[in-house]
Amino acid sequence: MPTPDLKTQLAYCKGEMLNAFNEASKLSPFRGLVAEKRDPAGIVKFALSFIGPAFRVFTGEAQPVGLDAANFTVETVKYKNPVSISKSQLDRAKGIMGDELIMRPIRKMGGDALYARDAKMAALLEANGNDGLGSAFFATAATLRNSNGVTLTNTVSGTGNGESATRTDFYSGIAAFNAMKNVAGWRVHGDSFQATKPIILYPAALQSVMEGVFMAQTLSLGGANTTYNRAELRMVGDLTDTTDWFIVNARPTYMPFMFVDEAEPDFKTNLQNGDSADAALMLRDEVIFNSDYSFECAFGSRLEIVRVVNS
C-alpha cells in the first residue's frame, strides 16, 4: 500500500493531536465547572452580572444594561510546545502516520495543550485576584454592589489538615454555601444543597487525607465516617499551596470559571503541505511539529465555590 501524500499525513497528525486534547479534557479537574466560548475575532469580553457571570460582545464603550463590569483583567496565554524529530528518523519511517515513535509525541502535544490550560486555572485559584467588582474573588463578608448591604462569604478559615479537622472544615464550607444570599437577600442554594455531592479540588499533598475523609467507610479509631462518599474528589496537580482546598457546587447555575479561546489548538510544522517530503526536508536537519493555542481564563461566579484556608 503506497504511503499517503504529505498533506494527508499532516491532516491525520492534526486530527490525532486534537483527539488527544479532547480526551485529556475529559479528565480535567475543572471539567463541568467552566463556561466556555470560541472567539476567533477576539471581540468577546468577560462580564459579571448581579447574579452571575456572562459572556458579552461589546462595541466601543457601550455598557450593557444589568452588568456590573463591562470587562476585567484576564490571563492571556499563548501556548507553544514544539517537538523536534530528526531528518534521519523521518527518512527511515514509512511516512509519519506509520511510525508510532513519531505519532506519540504529536499526540502528547494535544494533551499538553489542555494541561497548560488547567495550570492557568490553578494559578487563577491561588492568586485570588480581583473578581471585576473591586474585591478579591474569595472573601469574607464581601459587600455585593447594588445589594443594600447584603454580603457574601466564600472563604472558610480552616482548622488544620488532619482528617478530623478536614471533616469539620467540610461542614463549615457547606454552611457557607447555605448562608449565601443574592443581591435581593434571597438564599441562593437553599436546603437542597445539603443533599448534593460537591466537588473537592485539592493539592496532591492532601491526597491521603482526602481519601481518608471521603473514601473510608469507617474512622481509623472505629465508628462510622460521616463524610464517607459525601464529595467527589479531584486532585489538581498544579496547585502549589499544600494546605488550602476548595469546595465546588457540582451542579452550578453559574460556572465558577470562564474561558475563551480563539480556536482549537492548531497543528504547526515546518514541513511543506505538498505531496513530497523530500523537497521540504532537503535543506533541513530536523522537522519541527508544534501545537499553537491562545486562550483567556477568568473567575466566574463566586456563589459556586468556597475556599478553605489553612495557609
Side-chain angles (χ1 to χ4, degrees), residues 2-275:
T3 300
D5 61 60
L6 184 60
K7 185 175 182 179
T8 299
Q9 294 191 63
L10 294 181
Y12 175 82
C13 290
K14 180 176 182 178
E16 288 292 286
M17 185 192 76
L18 291 178
N19 285 340
F21 176 85
N22 292 329
E23 287 301 309
S25 68
K26 297 176 183 178
L27 301 176
S28 166
F30 300 101
R31 62 189 182 276
L33 304 176
V34 185
E36 302 185 36
K37 192 170 183 66
R38 182 63 49 80
D39 180 31
I43 58 176
V44 169
K45 305 298 181 184
F46 296 102
L48 200 65
S49 70
F50 298 150
I51 55 175
F55 292 114
R56 292 291 185 271
V57 177
F58 298 112
T59 304
E61 300 299 321
Q63 172 83 9
V65 176
L67 296 179
D68 267 340
N71 190 13
F72 58 93
T73 303
V74 296
E75 295 285 350
T76 302
V77 180
K78 186 73 170 181
Y79 174 75
K80 293 181 179 295
N81 183 31
V83 171
S84 173
I85 296 175
S86 69
K87 177 181 178 295
S88 59
Q89 181 181 354
L90 194 61
D91 285 345
R92 292 193 301 269
K94 296 180 179 179
I96 303 171
M97 297 167 54
D99 194 317
E100 187 61 23
L101 292 178
I102 297 176
M103 289 306 306
R104 191 175 298 128
I106 289 176
R107 295 189 188 99
K108 189 175 185 301
M109 290 193 305
D112 286 349
L114 192 281
Y115 301 147
R117 165 178 160 172
D118 283 353
K120 291 306 298 183
M121 294 289 186
L124 194 68
L125 272 177
E126 293 192 312
N128 192 22
N130 187 299
D131 68 347
L133 299 179
S135 62
F137 184 77
F138 295 105
T140 300
T143 300
L144 303 181
R145 189 176 300 178
N146 301 316
S147 63
N148 297 318
V150 174
T151 62
L152 177 80
T153 293
N154 66 341
T155 296
V156 171
S157 295
T159 58
N161 288 126
E163 290 187 15
S164 179
T166 299
R167 289 187 184 90
T168 298
D169 296 341
F170 173 72
Y171 286 119
S172 296
I174 297 301
F177 275 107
N178 288 327
M180 289 180 181
K181 296 181 180 180
N182 61 20
V183 294
W186 295 95
R187 289 176 63 193
V188 175
H189 299 290
D191 295 333
S192 62
F193 189 80
Q194 293 278 44
T196 65
K197 187 176 179 179
I199 294 168
I200 306 294
L201 302 178
Y202 61 93
L206 297 181
Q207 179 73 36
S208 62
V209 171
M210 291 299 173
E211 289 180 354
V213 172
F214 296 104
M215 298 178 68
Q217 296 189 43
T218 58
L219 302 177
S220 57
L221 298 179
N225 180 7
T226 58
T227 52
Y228 168 66
N229 202 31
R230 281 296 312 277
E232 176 186 343
L233 298 182
R234 296 187 185 180
M235 192 266 286
V236 183
D238 291 297
L239 290 174
T240 59
D241 188 288
T242 60
T243 61
D244 293 359
W245 48 284
F246 306 85
I247 307 172
V248 192
N249 184 7
R251 294 180 290 183
T253 302
Y254 300 97
M255 297 299 180
F257 304 99
M258 295 192 293
F259 180 86
V260 171
D261 59 2
E262 294 178 0
E264 62 191 10
D266 195 14
F267 179 73
K268 302 283 190 179
T269 179
N270 59 353
L271 283 172
Q272 297 174 352
N273 288 325
D275 293 334

